[in-house]
Amino acid sequence: MLGNDEIERGMKLIKWGLGTLLMVLCARLLSAQSVYQDRQFQFLSFESIPTWTGVATDWDKPAAKIHLYDAIQYKGHAQYISVALKTGITFAQFKEQVRDHAQRKYMPFFLFDLRKKPPVLEGKSYEWAIRIEDYAYRDNAQQMTETTLRLLKTVQDYIRQATGKTSNGIVILSTNPESQPNVALAPALNQAGFPNKTTNQLVTLMGGEKVKILNAGTGFGYLRYVKAGEETNFRPTAQDIVVYAQTPLRVPPVNGIITLEAQTPLSHINLLAKNRGTFNLYALDTAAIPGLHARIGKLTRVECTDQRITLHDATLKEAEAFWAKHQVKVELPEPNFAQKGIVDLAKGDPFNSASSGLFLLLEPNVIGAKAANYAIIQRRFPAYVRPGFAIPFVYYQQVIQQGNVANLIDALLLEKANLTPAETEKRLENIRAEILKAKIDPQMLVEVSETLKTHFPGQRIRLRSSTNCEDLPSFNGAGLYLSKGLDADEIPAKLQNRILQIYAAVWTPHAWAEREYYFIDHRKVAMAILINEAYGEEYANGVVLTVPDMLDFAVVVNAQFGEAAVTNPEGGQVPEALVFKSSSATKYTIESKSNLHDVFLQDSLAATLLELKDLAVQVHRDFKARAPQYGKIRYGVDIEFKVVRRREGGFQIYIKQARLLGQVLPE
């Protein structure tokens, strides 16, 4: 028989063995050693490139560690660090521990797996690439070069440990000089043995689409090339076709849009192009469209169908006839300044003016189109819309009548024909400055503050522009104006400042240019404000677009995980794009997959996708009943949505906004 000492020693050995086995299994599941070799946690970028979401930890120590993690399970780098690594830090704390070179603890990145089709550059094969996630780094150029090289070498060492061999990697650089790391670092990285590519170049290397038409049509104009970094200050005319090296946040009225970076079908730029009847496409470089580079600066006719793009010489006579034929004059709803006090959008039935006597309060000429549309969806689909309120036009009108604002506006309208673009922008700047000095009715500020504290206690809310010059059936105005965030219990002085900033946004150069293009009477423009809850910690967000044909309509869903933007994507992000080809369809085609990770393509969200699609069909039919029918415009609906994970399980859809989208049909 074994003595007590032998039994105790045996038990210790068993416990040690089990502990060791558990450690090995955990290391197998969590360490970087096996993930790369086994290709766990991958998703597809740009429809073809297997990709990991990764983060380097212990950046403040001599040896940083690489983590590749499940991007489905963890919503972004910060959540992985907080939950999986049990640090408990907030997103704000994570950003501070990433941005500053001297205090950096973490380095977030994406790792592209190129092993299925390794590109060969100057005789050398490359099996992986990294793109550093842009977190508004404070590094100077030398520090960013050091950071990038350190991450490249750390990833290279990690892959060597996982595979037992040395491999070569590429670094993906931004073309935007305001992003880090960008192409300015290329010489130093090349010298260190790590070649660089842009996202577009990587897609080309891996066989992706080089040209894509997002909105078909014809344009006549002078081809203008805009270098990267110059898109904000470039001022095209309506007679230009603009080729942007870098996709801008917004485009003034032009006769055609070509970007040399990939766009998404439901970006603000493409929605504006559809609304204007302007062709819009992307090409990964000018060589992808034969003859494009040689025609820069020349008057050209560009014809885009769904299949091909052709460029032709054009005479000034032909162009002027085309421009004259396609001029559109938009008449705004006459603003009504009679209503005072905060409007509760839950009161009154916007489809029955006799129901309560409150219908007029919900009209676009009282609270603006965005708020009026919100009232419709809140009343018609209460399970999918959070409560909303509106500040009516009268308070904007009171601000315009203060000080020197009205005089400055009158002088600009009287003299605009004789002003240069620079002079016009200076006049607009002066108007905005005067508005920001104005005072708002103190009783209204008290009423708004009380409304926020009562209905949104302790919450973050959004103050959103709601003019009579956006979200109209015949005029979309996507992205023209402004929204501001605010905590519900913030002091009235901060509330006043936010409201004045939104009022001043009526007089920005891009809003002015858009109204000029459509011959809109600037004196009729009025700003109301929609108030609703901000959507924090959403699981996903996106846009649904209904696209009409002669008899029915398709439903297009663009979605992205977490808070990553769909309408204005950053850093080469590509959303999930799914198309139901008819209103009754229950199956869809996949136009693109997210290069972050799946949203509705997950089995757990399959029912939520069909719920969203059916909801979009109902919204389309309700809004379409209010759409005018004329000319060559067909109306769909543009819906912005959020998906939130319920505490009790499952997912909840919320409509953020909905509006009719008039699409000018191509000729």
Side-chain angles (χ1 to χ4, degrees), residues 132-202:
I132 293 176
E133 184 79 307
D134 189 357
Y135 273 90
Y137 299 106
R138 301 179 184 124
D139 302 48
N140 60 35
Q142 180 179 347
Q143 290 170 335
M144 197 72 238
T145 301
E146 293 171 356
T147 296
T148 305
L149 282 173
R150 183 185 179 192
L151 180 61
L152 282 161
K153 291 174 181 176
T154 303
V155 170
Q156 190 175 51
D157 288 343
Y158 145 70
I159 293 174
R160 184 189 300 115
Q161 293 173 14
T163 64
K165 64 178 183 178
T166 299
S167 60
N168 302 309
I170 300 168
V171 60
I172 307 303
L173 300 179
S174 172
T175 58
N176 186 344
E178 297 180 0
S179 297
Q180 295 217 60
N182 61 57
V183 292
L185 306 185
L189 297 172
N190 281 329
Q191 187 174 4
F194 292 98
N196 64 90
K197 295 292 178 183
T198 65
T199 301
N200 281 4
Q201 290 169 337
L202 179 65

Side-chain angles (χ1 to χ4, degrees), residues 375-583:
I376 293 172
I377 58 175
Q378 184 177 339
R379 294 292 295 170
R380 300 291 275 185
F381 309 103
Y384 297 99
V385 183
R386 289 177 172 171
F389 299 83
I391 302 173
F393 286 151
V394 63
Y395 300 103
Y396 170 79
Q397 181 67 5
Q398 290 175 358
V399 166
I400 293 300
Q401 297 304 320
Q402 289 182 39
N404 199 34
V405 179
N407 292 333
L408 291 174
I409 292 172
D410 288 342
L412 172 58
L413 295 177
L414 181 65
E415 301 167 22
K416 66 178 184 178
N418 300 317
L419 298 176
T420 65
E423 290 170 337
T424 298
E425 289 193 16
K426 184 61 179 176
R427 299 285 190 94
L428 292 167
E429 181 183 339
N430 292 339
I431 292 170
R432 296 195 303 275
E434 282 294 309
I435 290 174
L436 292 175
K437 292 189 294 185
K439 300 294 182 184
I440 295 175
D441 183 336
Q443 180 57 39
M444 188 272 279
L445 291 176
V446 170
E447 191 175 344
V448 173
S449 295
E450 290 303 315
T451 299
L452 299 183
K453 291 176 183 177
T454 301
H455 295 277
F456 309 102
Q459 298 180 49
R460 187 77 175 166
I461 59 101
R462 295 293 289 172
L463 303 174
R464 309 183 68 208
S465 69
S466 182
T467 69
N468 59 343
C469 191
E470 61 183 319
D471 293 0
L472 301 173
S474 58
F475 183 76
N476 181 270
L480 280 188
Y481 300 110
L482 187 66
S483 296
K484 301 296 288 185
L486 190 75
D487 289 334
D489 55 355
E490 287 192 290
I491 57 175
K494 186 171 285 189
L495 174 62
Q496 174 170 271
N497 179 260
R498 296 286 195 276
I499 292 172
L500 290 174
Q501 288 176 323
I502 295 172
Y503 286 168
V506 171
W507 302 98
T508 59
H510 61 271
W512 169 272
E514 192 84 10
R515 296 196 299 266
E516 281 286 286
Y517 180 76
Y518 286 99
F519 301 95
I520 290 171
D521 185 348
H522 300 279
R523 288 187 177 88
K524 287 186 177 181
V525 180
M527 175 71 80
I529 294 176
L530 168 63
I531 303 170
N532 57 11
E533 180 183 344
Y535 294 84
E537 296 299 317
E538 65 258 31
Y539 184 83
N541 79 103
V543 177
V544 182
L545 188 69
T546 61
V547 183
D549 56 28
M550 294 300 292
L551 300 175
D552 193 24
F553 57 92
V555 179
V556 181
V557 178
N558 269 206
Q560 192 60 283
F561 196 71
E563 299 178 7
V566 169
T567 53
N568 287 309
E570 299 176 352
Q573 294 173 352
V574 176
E576 189 173 273
L578 312 174
V579 179
F580 294 88
K581 294 186 178 180
S582 71
S583 62

Side-chain angles (χ1 to χ4, degrees), residues 53-70:
T53 306
V55 62
T57 62
D58 296 337
W59 199 260
D60 52 342
K61 298 177 182 178
K65 298 177 182 177
I66 296 296
H67 299 256
L68 304 182
Y69 62 85
D70 186 351

